[in-house]
């Protein structure tokens, strides 16, 4: 514990994320969602892991509700890699994609295309607030198919090309 309430798992970041994703994959597999991932970051990368875990959980929950309607299941792919500026997380699902979405408002609080099903429209806003607030990072909605998001997390990364 660094004294700020955040545990720094940076010395074992790839292992910690792999263990978390293995557990999440088992849980989601029971719901018909296949989770695939590749973690290409060095164990010396310094990054607080709790925020990443929260973001991934929220993204998978969002896919579960919006992409894979009626419990049909599908596949989620997560790729994490280092670049000169930090760590990049790319998230994709093979669901229906953001149909009828105003891409300029997708991260706004209370923006949803599923209000009639009882959704409040906070999922992507929570993700963006976590990425920006905790990491000073950036979220970018990518073109489909399915839902695709690129998250850039500035941090110190050893051994990356500029």
């Amino acid at each position: 514990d660094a004294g700020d309430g955040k545990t720094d798992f940076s010395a074992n970041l790839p292992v910690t994320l792999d263990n978390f994703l293995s557990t999440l994959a088992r849980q989601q597999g029971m719901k018909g969602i296949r989770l695939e991932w590749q973690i290409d970051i060095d164990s010396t990368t310094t990054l607080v892991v709790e925020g990443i875990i929260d973001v991934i959980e929220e993204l998978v929950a969002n896919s579960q509700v919006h992409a894979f309607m009626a419990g049909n299941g599908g596949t989620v792919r997560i790729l994490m890699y280092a670049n000169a500026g930090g760590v990049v997380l790319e998230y994709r699902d093979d669901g229906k994609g953001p149909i009828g979405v105003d891409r300029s408002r997708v991260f706004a609080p209370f923006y949803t295309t599923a209000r009639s099903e009882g959704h409040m429209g906070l999922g992507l806003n929570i993700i963006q607030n976590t990425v920006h607030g905790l990491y000073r990072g950036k979220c970018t909605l990518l073109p489909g198919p399915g839902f695709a998001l690129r998250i850039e997390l500035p941090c110190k990364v050893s051994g990356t090309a500029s």
Side-chain angles (χ1 to χ4, degrees):
D1 190 339
D4 61 1
K6 298 175 190 152
T7 306
D8 184 0
F9 290 103
S10 59
N12 295 311
L13 185 60
V15 172
T16 301
L17 289 173
D18 191 63
N19 289 340
F20 161 71
L21 290 166
S22 293
T23 300
L24 187 62
R26 283 191 298 277
Q27 293 168 349
Q28 294 304 315
M30 291 183 258
K31 299 173 185 174
I33 297 174
R34 181 175 170 196
L35 191 60
E36 300 173 352
W37 66 94
Q38 183 175 342
I39 309 293
D40 288 330
I41 52 177
D42 189 276
S43 63
T44 61
T45 300
T46 303
L47 199 63
V48 176
V49 74
E50 283 95 340
I52 297 169
I53 288 173
D54 292 344
V55 164
I56 292 170
E57 286 178 328
E58 189 67 41
L59 284 166
V60 171
N62 198 58
S63 290
Q64 204 171 12
V65 169
H66 297 287
F68 309 128
M69 311 270 300
N72 292 332
T75 302
V76 167
R77 290 176 185 84
I78 298 169
L79 172 62
M80 286 186 76
Y81 58 92
N83 67 17
V87 171
V88 176
L89 185 153
E90 291 184 2
Y91 179 95
R92 292 186 175 274
D93 69 39
D94 64 357
K96 69 176 189 136
I99 298 168
V101 169
D102 180 349
R103 294 175 75 85
S104 69
R105 295 183 50 217
V106 74
F107 296 109
F110 306 108
Y111 177 75
T112 182
T113 59
R115 186 140 349 261
S116 63
E117 288 99 43
H119 300 286
M120 294 179 20
L122 291 174
L124 291 178
N125 180 256
I126 290 169
I127 289 166
Q128 183 183 46
N129 286 339
T130 301
V131 167
H132 181 72
L134 185 59
Y135 301 103
R136 298 290 177 237
K138 178 182 171 188
C139 296
T140 306
L141 192 61
L142 301 173
F147 175 80
L149 185 69
R150 177 184 169 99
I151 298 172
E152 298 171 64
L153 306 169
C155 67
K156 183 175 182 168
V157 179
S158 299
T160 56
S162 297

